[in-house]
Amino acid sequence: MAQIVEGISRTFNEFLLLPNKTSVECRVDDVQLVAPLARHAVGAHSRLQLQVPFTSAIMQAVSSPELAIALGRHGGLSFLHHNRPIAEQVADIRAVKAFKAGFVVSDTNVQPEHTLGDLWNAMQRTGHSTAAVTEDGSAHGRLLGLISSRDFHPQRHDLRAPVSSRMVAIADLAVAESDITLSEANSRLWEQRLDCLPVIDADNHLQHLVFRSDYTDNKRHPHQLVDADKRLRVGAGVNTHDYRERIPALLDAGADALCLDSSDGYSEWQAHALDWVKTQYPEVVIGAGNVVDRQAFEYLADAGADFVKIGVGGGSICITRDQKGIGRGQASAVLDVAAARDAYAQRTGQYVPVCSDGGLQLDYHMALALAMGADFVMMGRYFARFDQAPGAKVPTADGYVKEYWGEGSYRARNWQRYEQPGTGLTFEEGVDGYVPYAGDLNEGLALIIAKIKATMTSCGATTLRQFHDSARLTLVSDQSFQEAHASVDIRTTRTNLN
């Protein structure tokens, strides 16, 4: 007979946190959200730590280089997806590692013979008011000059005139060599009253632009997640099919962490891949998953996983439970696996972090996942809403939305992730849809960080470990769930216009 596992499969919606005593030392400003990403000896520090407990999902619709940069600057980590040729994933890893805070790769570039109309269209498309004029019109071509909105106006100047007629030539520009530091560049911007400082190599090829306007922005990111060379950290998803070819290329490009990506990680395929990685690259951080129970966690931890992802079928874009009847409520899965992690640490002396992936329908669910024992969370829908995500921004009658599609959808056709029969996607385990547009990631992430810190102080915790150990939870009835939401009648008044 089939085994019936005791307990009900529960979701985050079925729980609320009870407040604990908040001491005078427990203030929002004192809350630290540092989280371990890699296994470590109990009592020691993880060799790779997140500054905030957020990672972005291994999905085409989520983890672009732009989002990886924005999230990395806040202290989180993106895992760039692997459902594409190796060279494309490598190029995205290199793009993130090449980013230097304050050093911008110009995305508005023209040639001197282009018209001012061409320039104006480029500025409208990118939203930037300064363009580099290069010999070949590329971001790294030989620099010939700069032109900004201060040099021409579309209603005042002939848009058929060439860019060369209004640009500031390189001979009249202050420029810097490629070995300049950000501190030195900022000093020159202020001392020489410059708005922009181009950085060029020995052959006059443009490398970066440094803007005075970015000075304040750089000060806003004191907790960036960087490596020993001060480059942003970035992760990469891998599968159990071409990992022997893909992983060496990703590591050569600078990937800081890897994650085996599968809808069901409780498999010998993942154990074999982990064994190969740990034999060939013993110092590499590699996670595995996804799992929903104690025995699956222990299997992957014993196989060498540095962290384990939790969640099957709970994602907003996922229909695995509908299609295959496989999965578990995310709250039950996190509670079970977190308990297994702690028991494993006590038995072996090795702490293997766990990540809650999916089931986060509301903002407070993130806090619940962390309280239930997740070391960090992985999010798809949440990050897909922002400007930095790859999905197109689409206008609707009710406002803008962003495209969002699952790796198990026909649009993604990621058959390798779902291990279906044959060599293609036989049936969908994800859907193709839209999520409400949420603007810029920097503003959205600052809000959720503030919410989580406020929740933790109400629960008397200033670290995630304290939150795990001291959080108290209560089950929620349908009536108490309804009570949690504000319900008021909107009062309307008629204004006398006479």
Side-chain angles (χ1 to χ4, degrees):
M1 291 180 61
Q3 177 187 1
I4 305 298
V5 176
E6 292 185 4
I8 298 172
S9 177
R10 297 191 182 278
T11 69
F12 292 131
N13 270 336
E14 298 177 78
F15 290 91
L16 284 174
L17 284 158
L18 296 179
N20 288 331
K21 182 178 71 175
T22 303
S23 68
V24 293
E25 293 83 13
C26 185
R27 299 174 299 177
V28 169
D29 290 343
D30 297 321
V31 173
Q32 299 294 318
L33 296 179
V34 174
L37 186 80
R39 75 158 64 206
H40 57 89
V42 172
H45 291 296
S46 172
R47 64 186 187 277
L48 181 51
Q49 294 193 124
L50 301 170
Q51 296 301 308
V52 293
F54 306 126
T55 59
S56 66
I58 309 170
M59 298 175 66
Q60 298 173 35
V62 180
S63 294
S64 66
E66 292 77 16
L67 190 134
I69 289 169
L71 181 54
R73 297 192 74 190
H74 283 279
L77 188 74
S78 285
F79 286 88
L80 302 182
H81 80 91
H82 56 88
N83 188 22
R84 51 183 166 163
I86 295 172
E88 291 183 12
Q89 191 181 16
V90 163
D92 281 356
I93 293 290
R94 292 191 188 282
V96 179
K97 300 304 290 187
F99 174 82
K100 293 196 291 184
F103 291 86
V104 178
V105 175
S106 177
D107 66 353
T108 310
N109 308 290
V110 291
Q111 293 175 272
E113 60 269 24
H114 282 156
T115 67
L116 294 177
D118 296 330
L119 170 64
W120 178 247
N121 290 335
M123 287 180 166
Q124 292 294 101
R125 184 178 66 254
T126 64
H128 295 155
S129 60
T130 298
V133 185
T134 59
E135 194 171 60
D136 60 2
S138 73
H140 297 298
R142 193 166 68 89
L143 184 65
L144 302 178
L146 290 181
I147 185 166
S148 73
S149 57
R150 296 176 61 178
D151 300 311
F152 84 103
H153 193 283
Q155 270 112 37
R156 184 176 181 84
H157 297 100
D158 185 357
L159 294 182
R160 295 167 298 180
V163 166
S164 58
S165 67
R166 299 299 306 172
M167 75 178 191
V168 179
I170 187 171
D172 299 317
L173 287 173
V175 297
E177 296 180 354
S178 55
D179 60 351
I180 193 171
T181 66
L182 181 59
S183 177
E184 292 167 343
N186 282 325
S187 293
R188 288 193 60 183
L189 285 168
W190 289 96
E191 290 172 4
Q192 297 177 237
R193 302 181 184 182
L194 305 172
D195 292 321
C196 176
L197 180 66
V199 179
I200 59 175
D201 66 14
D203 297 319
N204 283 353
H205 287 88
L206 179 63
Q207 301 300 300
H208 298 97
L209 300 175
V210 183
F211 292 94
R212 187 198 296 214
S213 59
D214 285 341
Y215 178 80
T216 301
D217 178 65
N218 291 326
K219 294 296 183 183
R220 290 171 51 201
H221 300 97
H223 303 300
Q224 298 184 86
L225 190 65
V226 296
D227 61 22
D229 296 319
K230 304 301 182 183
R231 301 177 302 171
L232 287 177
R233 291 192 182 274
V234 62
V238 294
N239 58 46
T240 56
H241 296 268
D242 66 0
Y243 61 90
R244 291 179 180 86
E245 296 77 38
R246 188 176 293 268
I247 288 177
L250 294 172
L251 296 178
D252 184 64
D256 296 283
L258 306 172
C259 185
L260 288 165
D261 181 41
S262 173
S263 64
D264 173 18
Y266 190 15
S267 75
E268 290 185 352
W269 299 112
Q270 288 214 2
H272 293 161
L274 288 168
D275 179 67
W276 182 86
V277 171
K278 290 302 179 181
T279 300
Q280 301 294 323
Y281 306 99
E283 298 304 315
V284 166
V285 173
I286 180 167
N290 284 14
V291 304
V292 294
D293 62 12
R294 174 184 299 264
Q295 62 189 34
F297 165 82
E298 291 176 348
Y299 179 78
L300 293 178
D302 285 341
D306 285 300
F307 64 89
V308 175
K309 285 205 295 136
I310 309 165
V312 174
S316 62
I317 211 74
C318 183
I319 55 173
T320 293
R321 296 179 193 175
D322 290 339
Q323 295 284 54
K324 294 165 62 176
I326 291 176
R328 194 179 193 184
Q330 190 68 2
S332 294
V334 170
L335 287 165
D336 192 9
V337 175
R341 174 207 56 207
D342 290 344
Y344 189 87
Q346 186 173 12
R347 185 175 74 254
T348 67
Q350 289 288 305
Y351 186 93
V352 180
V354 295
C355 166
S356 177
D357 176 16
L360 303 173
Q361 299 173 11
L362 301 170
D363 285 357
Y364 79 88
H365 290 171
M366 301 179 204
L368 282 173
L370 297 170
M372 290 177 180
D375 294 281
F376 58 98
V377 297
M378 177 173 281
M379 297 183 288
R381 180 197 62 83
Y382 177 80
F383 286 120
R385 305 172 305 144
F386 294 115
D387 287 322
Q388 291 87 346
K393 179 180 170 184
V394 180
T396 72
D398 298 319
Y400 284 98
V401 295
K402 288 270 288 185
E403 292 181 320
Y404 183 41
W405 61 98
E407 289 300 295
S409 67
Y410 286 133
R411 178 171 180 175
R413 295 186 180 277
N414 193 352
W415 65 271
Q416 292 177 323
R417 186 181 195 272
Y418 290 87
E419 299 292 350
Q420 294 181 9
T423 58
L425 197 64
T426 308
F427 57 90
E428 287 189 297
E429 293 188 45
V431 297
D432 184 355
Y434 300 95
V435 288
Y437 170 63
D440 184 72
L441 178 142
N442 296 294
E443 297 177 3
L445 202 58
L447 176 62
I448 194 60
I449 288 172
K451 287 183 179 181
I452 289 176
K453 286 185 174 183
T455 300
M456 289 174 61
T457 56
S458 291
C459 294
T462 56
T463 69
L464 291 177
R465 187 69 250 180
Q466 289 176 352
F467 201 27
H468 299 335
D469 293 340
S470 63
R472 297 185 299 151
L473 296 157
T474 182
L475 283 168
V476 178
S477 69
D478 180 70
Q479 286 299 311
S480 61
F481 180 78
Q482 297 301 322
E483 183 185 55
H485 305 286
S487 177
V488 297
D489 293 326
I490 304 300
R491 182 176 61 189
T492 59
T493 58
R494 296 179 63 85
T495 303
N496 186 349
L497 301 179
N498 295 330

